[in-house]
Amino acid sequence: MELLSVRDLAKHFVVRGHMGGRRQVLRAVDGISFSIQEDTVMALVGESGCGKSTVARLVLRLINPTSGSVLFRGRDVFGFDARELKTFRKAAQIIFQDPFASLNPRRTVYDTVSEPLVIHKLVPRVEMKERVAGILATVGLGPEILHRYPHEFSGGQRQRICIARALAVSPDLIVADEPLSALDVSIQAQILNLLRELKRKLRISFLFISHDLRVVQYLSDTVSVMYLGKIVEHATTAELFRQPLHPYAEVLLASAPKIVLTGESGERRDAAAGRKSGQLMPRVPRAVVSGDVPSPISIPSGCPFHPRCPKRFDPCDRIVPELKGKDERLVSCHLWNPF
């Protein structure tokens, strides 16, 4: 069943010009649509500044949109009254990028994790300590840390505390906004495995925002690729990594680092596919793009990617391609529309 549906969502910010110049419009999110089914993980990927974090805040109604709607179980979250909004806050939680900045340094772990339980009146006071200890155990932390403060923990432990806080109210949806980017690589693997295990056990849906394609391939069921506030391709994870259709998605995948195993006979094998599979790794040429990412204040006419696209042709600089396709495979590119 469909849990979350985003329809033509847009968020524009008015920014001041330099040296007293006229105000301009920054199009952080420019009319995107997607949906998340129950018990699934949808990843949102793209370069820094493409609008991913703005989408996260819009979905959770932390900021208001310029236009469009966000439907949670068929109801527009921007139309909720105070009581309905409180219920929505219980059902949809967020894990922020920086685990230290998102924890109050003056509050103990017990205070932090118990707060949502107190707000929503889910647990009697006499049972609170036991419940908080149980939630911490779910993310691999022991009861001895209950009365310690955030500065006493490593980055990975802080992120586990943030995950525990999100899990406290048994949400249906968790928005994970770059939850691994502030952590060391070895710790990233631990947190990633934890999220995957929680999803399997608790059947929680995730909107997983990341720029790390290795993580996305491991965790997600579907992927949406963003560029300059727009979704340029949407597909199942397997389809996207097997054959990206949009030139920008192709560039992203070609630029992702790969661990290559070389056999005795000189053949190359993809380590990500597993050592036992013996799957040969094709020699994929590096896709090269020229130029810088355009400013979201001055988005080019036509396809926003056309100034950097190695495959651009006549209509690309004049006509904005629509996001079209079949089933779950959608592409915004003149090379593929119509399918």
Side-chain angles (χ1 to χ4, degrees):
M1 294 179 61
E2 190 173 81
L3 180 66
L4 184 81
S5 177
V6 172
R7 300 178 181 174
D8 300 320
L9 191 63
K11 180 62 179 179
H12 301 166
F13 297 95
V14 177
V15 296
R16 293 180 179 273
H18 294 291
M19 303 297 290
R22 64 184 179 86
R23 295 186 175 185
Q24 298 174 300
V25 176
L26 187 152
R27 300 183 179 185
V29 179
D30 200 18
I32 67 170
S33 300
F34 62 84
S35 62
I36 300 176
Q37 307 298 315
E38 290 187 350
D39 191 24
T40 61
V41 178
M42 195 203 93
L44 198 59
V45 302
E47 294 170 296
S48 296
C50 71
K52 304 188 298 296
S53 293
T54 304
V55 172
R57 284 153 177 76
L58 287 167
V59 164
L60 294 173
R61 196 179 151 173
L62 299 180
I63 56 176
N64 292 319
T66 303
S67 61
S69 61
V70 176
L71 305 181
F72 186 78
R73 297 195 183 280
R75 300 192 60 199
D76 190 350
V77 303
F78 297 105
F80 287 164
D81 58 24
R83 183 178 178 181
E84 292 170 323
L85 183 58
K86 186 177 181 180
T87 302
F88 172 67
R89 295 277 186 244
K90 176 180 176 294
Q93 291 285 306
I94 186 169
I95 302 170
F96 291 101
Q97 178 175 353
D98 187 344
F100 190 73
S102 60
L103 292 173
N104 189 331
R106 297 184 179 183
R107 296 175 69 86
T108 65
V109 173
Y110 175 80
D111 295 332
T112 297
V113 179
S114 65
E115 184 178 25
L117 298 173
V118 172
I119 291 173
H120 294 283
K121 300 177 181 178
L122 298 177
V123 181
R125 286 282 184 180
V126 294
E127 300 176 11
M128 187 66 72
K129 188 173 182 179
E130 182 180 354
R131 175 64 70 87
V132 172
I135 296 169
L136 290 173
T138 304
V139 298
L141 297 173
E144 68 278 1
I145 72 166
L146 282 173
H147 301 293
R148 293 167 61 184
Y149 291 87
H151 71 272
E152 301 179 63
F153 300 99
S154 67
Q157 289 172 318
R158 292 175 197 151
Q159 196 63 290
R160 287 175 187 268
I161 295 168
C162 293
I163 294 170
R165 178 177 56 185
L167 291 175
V169 291
S170 302
D172 298 316
L173 172 71
I174 291 180
V175 177
D177 185 9
E178 299 269 14
L180 309 178
S181 62
L183 306 176
D184 294 337
V185 174
S186 59
I187 306 301
Q188 287 183 7
Q190 296 175 20
I191 300 300
L192 183 60
N193 286 329
L194 172 62
L195 293 175
R196 189 174 187 180
E197 184 66 13
L198 291 172
K199 189 262 180 184
R200 185 186 67 82
K201 286 184 176 180
L202 304 178
R203 305 181 68 86
I204 300 173
S205 297
F206 282 85
L207 172 57
F208 189 84
I209 295 171
S210 179
H211 62 272
D212 191 331
L213 294 173
R214 300 166 302 169
V215 171
V216 167
Q217 185 177 18
Y218 180 74
L219 185 65
S220 66
D221 299 301
T222 59
V223 182
S224 288
V225 181
M226 280 192 74
Y227 185 80
L228 280 182
K230 292 183 178 291
I231 291 177
V232 296
E233 183 165 358
H234 176 83
T236 64
T237 304
E239 286 182 332
L240 182 74
F241 280 82
R242 183 175 64 250
Q243 184 185 16
L245 298 183
H246 194 281
Y248 177 64
E250 187 178 344
V251 167
L252 280 184
L253 265 65
S255 63
K258 297 179 179 66
I259 299 175
V260 180
L261 307 177
T262 304
E264 296 180 359
S265 60
E267 76 275 12
R268 301 165 74 247
R269 302 180 188 277
D270 187 356
R275 293 175 180 265
K276 294 182 179 180
S277 67
Q279 180 179 345
L280 292 178
M281 180 180 177
R283 293 184 177 273
V284 179
R286 287 276 179 174
V288 179
V289 292
S290 59
D292 298 323
V293 181
S295 168
I297 296 176
S298 180
I299 296 177
S301 60
C303 173
F305 186 59
H306 89 263
R308 307 171 67 202
C309 182
K311 298 182 178 181
R312 63 180 180 270
F313 61 111
D314 180 54
C316 297
D317 60 348
R318 297 181 293 103
I319 304 171
V320 179
E322 296 181 34
L323 188 66
K324 293 181 178 179
K326 296 179 181 179
D327 301 323
E328 288 196 74
R329 195 69 193 265
L330 306 173
V331 185
S332 174
C333 181
H334 293 299
L335 289 169
W336 301 101
N337 287 331
F339 270 70

